[in-house]
Structures are given as structure tokens and as C-alpha cells.
Amino acid sequence: MTSSVIRAASAPTLNVTEPAFGTETVSDFLRDGYWLEAADLTGDGKPDLVGYGLKIGEIYWYKNPNWEKHLVVDKIKEPVGMDFGDISGDGSNDLVVCYQLYGPGGTIHHADPEGGKIDWLENPGNAAEATGNWKRHYVGRAIGMHRLRVGHFTRTDRIQIIGFPIVAVEDVHAVLPVVLFTPTDDPRAEWDKEIISDTDFRMIHGVARKPGLIPGSPLDSVLMASDEGVTWLYYDADRNTWSWEHIGDGENGQFEQTTFKGSGDVDGGRIGDDPLAYVAAIEPFHGNTVAVYTRTGGDTEAAGWTRHLLDIYGDPNDNGEGPGHTVMCRDFDGDGDDEFLIGLRGPQPWQGAYYYKAVDLAKGLFLKWKVSEESVARIVAGDFHSRGVEDYATISYSVQHYFVAPKAQITLHPNLTPQGEGRQS
């Protein structure tokens, strides 16, 4: 296979700004690590950080800018994916978490038949003083719940949660229900549940909420990475039904060796006025392959997508897994176009964050740089120091039965890249 990546050193004449990031330790020597979220919990306009792992069952938030550590909740069984939004309606960000993924055995082969629960955690409203208790409110459940997104997916008058299981009790690769939860008049009561699809998707590992992609609609939509590859999922209000567009099949060449195929994590990048000019993916589940999908045939209903292979990081291990875990698109150099970051959990040398910059979308050409060395389970972005630029932060991957980083930590990388330069014409 050929790579569509141009190493930065091999293209010195291109007018592209080289990325530069600092390193600040938010918290080190973590007992476990998996999820990281960037949310303004104090109402001061600056994102704080929320981080945790699966084992201990304790969720902590870290107050910007000194990163004081405060407990949100404890004794929550195996918290996995998280998102945030103003669920209570009081103007502050609450947290939404899914938990109780596995039963005895602790892997994707052991889905808990009583698990897959979702709670929202109510911001006490005085988080700036780091006082008060975060109350837990039960939303609903679906076995194997692994990822969720908060937004407005079928209506704008009430906030909603869309949930994505990863495995079923019957089998790792069994078909899964994608579900939508909508609150009643009282969001503190159990929410109404609607099945979006229970016949079409398997092993859903990564999702990204994407506002502004549905023409003429204020509703949010989702990019989804699953056994089927990459899918754009959205609600068609004109037809009063859920629809989806298949963007690509993902990585299928390792299937005989690993039993995994498709896509593992995904995000979409803006270039100029196109809010979804490309889709970046780690493939397949816990994969080793970086790919980008670009549009072909113009911006019409008949348009398709072309897959460009960018990189392969190492070989699958004995469990059939590679080091890749997370993807995130954001405009880091301020030129109006999105770059993307890939997070590798390890072990070395396949560990850290890699930064990719589009050079020629039609040809699938990207420049890349390695911008951090720590194990990465998840990457989040935000203007953490109120400087008008996008920084990023990471949490290390430390999960029993999968990969345990030798030193798990939460790390902030302030953006030192010159802004507004080097846009490609």
C-alpha cells in the first residue's frame, strides 16, 4: 500500500505553518485513564477538564487554570463515554455519562446484561467554589452502551442524548441498537427512549456530533465509526425519518487475522466554506490505520467519497488490536481550515499525538508532524488560556485487559503555532 502523507521535512517549499505546542501536566500518576472531556463547568468562559478511567469508578474535574482536582461522583461502575450540555436548564453545563459496560471478564466479550446505563450529573451551580454535590439522575439504558452525544437531533425545544452500544451479550459482532433519549417535562425523571436502528450497525466504537451539516436544518447530526465503516447519521425532518449516508467501508484487509474491520474512530474537517470537506478515521476497531475520505463528483446528491490511506502504525497485537484510539478535527493554525489529530495509546514507538494538515484534498495529500509523546486515549480541544487559539489536551490509555500506559496522565498542550498563516489556495 502507498501512503498519501508527505513528511514535513520532505516538502520545505510548501507555504504551510509548522505546528508548535507546549506541554503542561494537569495530573499525573493516574490509577487508570480512558476518557477526557473539556467543558466550562464554572461559567467563567474557559473550559475545565473532566477525566477518569474505567476501573476505580471515580470521575474528577480539574479547575482551570490551576487544575485543582475535585470529585464529581464516585462508586459509579465502569464509566465509559461522556458528553456535556445544559440538561437542567439553569445555564450551566451538566455531565452525561454511560457506565456498567462489562460483566465479569472485563472485555468486549463480556457485555453486562444488566448494564449499559446512562446518568446525567447535575452541576451544583457553585462549581466555581468547588462546593456542592453533583446529583445523579438516571436517563435510561441499552446493553453495551459505550458512546453518547448530547444535542438536538430531532427537535430543538428539548436537549437529547443519542446512545451507541459497542457490543451485545450474544456476540462481539452482533447487531446493535442505536437509541435516542428525550426528556419528559421533568429531565430528572427517566427519559423516553426511541430506537433509531437495531438492524444495521455493529461494533460502534467512535462517534462525533456535527452541527450544521443538514442543509436548511438547525438539527445536529453524527459521524459514526463502526464495523460497517464510516456513516453520516441524521434525522430527515422533511420525511420524518432517520437517514444515513455510507461514506466508506473502512479497513478490511486485516479481517482474516484480527476479525475486526471497518472504522474505529472518526471526525470531520472543514475546509473553507465546506463544513465536511473530509472525514478522518482510525481504522478498524482499536486499529493501526489512518485514512481520510474526500468528496468526489461535486457537492450533489450523486457525489461519492474516496478513501486515501495515510499511515499504518505498527502491526496488530495478539488481541488483533493496533495502537490507534482517537481522532479530532480543529483549526489549530487559524487559517480557517481544519487540521486533525490522531491519538495513539502505545506502546512505543506507536504512542503520542500526530498532527495532519491538508495539502491537496483531491489527491489525498497531507503533511504530518508528531506533536506529543504521551500515551493518548482521548484528545479534546479548547481555548484553555483565553488567548483566542485552540489548544489540545490528552489523557493516557490505562485499561486492564487492553493496554496500561506505564505512566498515565492528563496533559495540556498550549498552542504556540503562529496563527492565520499558510493557507493553501
Side-chain angles (χ1 to χ4, degrees):
M1 297 182 182
T2 59
S3 171
S4 298
V5 167
I6 304 172
R7 270 57 180 181
S10 69
T13 61
L14 291 174
N15 183 27
V16 175
T17 302
E18 182 174 356
F21 295 91
T23 298
E24 298 178 10
T25 299
V26 174
S27 184
D28 55 7
F29 300 105
L30 302 177
R31 301 291 184 183
D32 57 359
Y34 183 78
W35 197 261
L36 189 66
E37 203 62 68
D40 178 10
L41 301 180
T42 64
D44 64 358
K46 294 183 293 187
D48 306 290
L49 288 168
V50 183
Y52 55 88
L54 274 64
K55 179 183 177 182
I56 297 178
E58 298 171 356
I59 297 175
Y60 290 92
W61 74 277
Y62 300 83
K63 185 179 177 182
N64 191 344
N66 297 322
W67 308 119
E68 302 159 357
K69 179 179 178 181
H70 304 283
L71 183 68
V72 178
V73 295
D74 63 352
K75 298 178 178 60
I76 181 167
K77 179 176 170 52
E78 208 169 49
V80 192
M82 174 178 280
D83 202 356
F84 63 92
D86 182 9
I87 309 296
S88 67
D90 68 355
S92 60
N93 278 319
D94 306 296
L95 302 173
V96 183
V97 61
C98 56
Y99 60 100
Q100 200 170 330
L101 173 59
Y102 301 138
T107 76
I108 55 175
H109 300 279
H110 311 98
D112 187 340
E114 303 301 322
K117 299 174 183 177
I118 298 174
D119 285 4
W120 70 274
L121 312 175
E122 188 170 359
N123 191 325
N126 54 0
E129 288 76 38
T131 60
N133 297 316
W134 292 69
K135 295 180 180 178
R136 292 173 60 174
H137 304 287
Y138 180 69
V139 171
R141 62 181 288 266
I143 294 170
M145 189 64 64
H146 178 259
R147 294 287 185 264
L148 54 84
R149 287 293 176 262
V150 175
H152 297 282
F153 300 103
T154 66
R155 54 195 291 180
T156 58
D157 61 330
R158 293 189 180 180
I159 201 163
Q160 298 172 302
I161 300 168
I162 188 169
F164 304 86
I166 186 172
V167 291
V169 170
E170 293 78 10
D171 188 78
V172 169
H173 304 289
V175 73
L176 302 167
V178 179
V179 293
L180 180 73
F181 297 93
T182 302
T184 62
D185 292 338
D186 180 8
R188 294 171 180 83
E190 186 171 344
W191 293 24
D192 293 335
K193 176 181 174 182
E194 169 193 340
I195 295 178
I196 296 171
S197 168
D198 59 3
T199 61
D200 301 281
F201 303 107
R202 306 167 190 271
M203 202 158 199
I204 306 166
H205 182 265
V207 295
R209 182 180 70 91
K210 306 302 290 184
L213 296 189
I214 308 172
S217 172
L219 297 176
D220 298 315
S221 58
V222 173
L223 289 173
M224 181 170 60
S226 69
D227 197 74
E228 292 70 28
V230 177
T231 304
W232 177 41
L233 176 69
Y234 64 96
Y235 182 73
D236 187 333
D238 292 336
R239 298 170 55 202
N240 194 30
T241 187
W242 285 92
S243 298
W244 47 86
E245 176 184 341
H246 180 68
I247 291 176
D249 293 339
E251 204 294 318
N252 297 325
Q254 302 173 20
F255 181 75
E256 291 184 6
Q257 176 187 359
T258 67
T259 74
F260 299 126
K261 65 183 183 71
S263 244
D265 199 34
V266 65
D267 201 1
R270 170 184 288 274
I271 299 291
D273 295 329
D274 187 347
L276 192 63
Y278 69 88
V279 176
I282 278 278
E283 298 176 334
F285 163 79
H286 286 186
N288 63 351
T289 301
V290 179
V292 164
Y293 298 83
T294 60
R295 295 183 189 273
T296 56
D299 188 16
T300 68
E301 291 185 2
W305 294 84
T306 297
R307 181 179 186 265
H308 305 275
L309 173 65
L310 300 191
D311 267 311
I312 298 176
Y313 291 104
D315 297 315
N317 60 21
D318 292 341
N319 294 326
E321 300 175 20
H325 199 256
T326 188
V327 184
M328 189 200 60
C329 296
R330 201 63 66 95
D331 180 10
F332 290 103
D333 61 12
D335 68 351
D337 296 339
D338 281 347
E339 297 74 45
F340 72 91
L341 292 174
I342 291 290
L344 305 183
R345 66 185 188 181
Q348 291 284 16
W350 315 121
Q351 179 173 295
Y354 286 83
Y355 176 108
Y356 289 78
K357 174 72 175 179
V359 173
D360 187 328
L361 276 187
K363 296 180 180 178
L365 297 178
F366 284 71
L367 289 167
K368 83 163 185 178
W369 293 261
K370 189 172 187 179
V371 290
S372 71
E373 297 287 341
E374 73 275 3
S375 169
V376 179
R378 179 162 163 81
I379 301 173
V380 295
D383 184 5
F384 290 96
H385 292 327
S386 301
R387 297 177 298 120
V389 298
E390 294 286 344
D391 312 303
Y392 78 93
T394 69
I395 189 170
S396 300
Y397 193 106
S398 181
V399 180
Q400 287 184 327
H401 307 296
Y402 290 96
F403 175 75
V404 177
K407 180 184 178 183
Q409 60 195 57
I410 299 173
T411 309
L412 174 65
H413 294 280
N415 191 348
L416 307 177
T417 307
Q419 296 293 296
E421 302 176 8
R423 181 168 184 169
Q424 299 298 301
S425 60

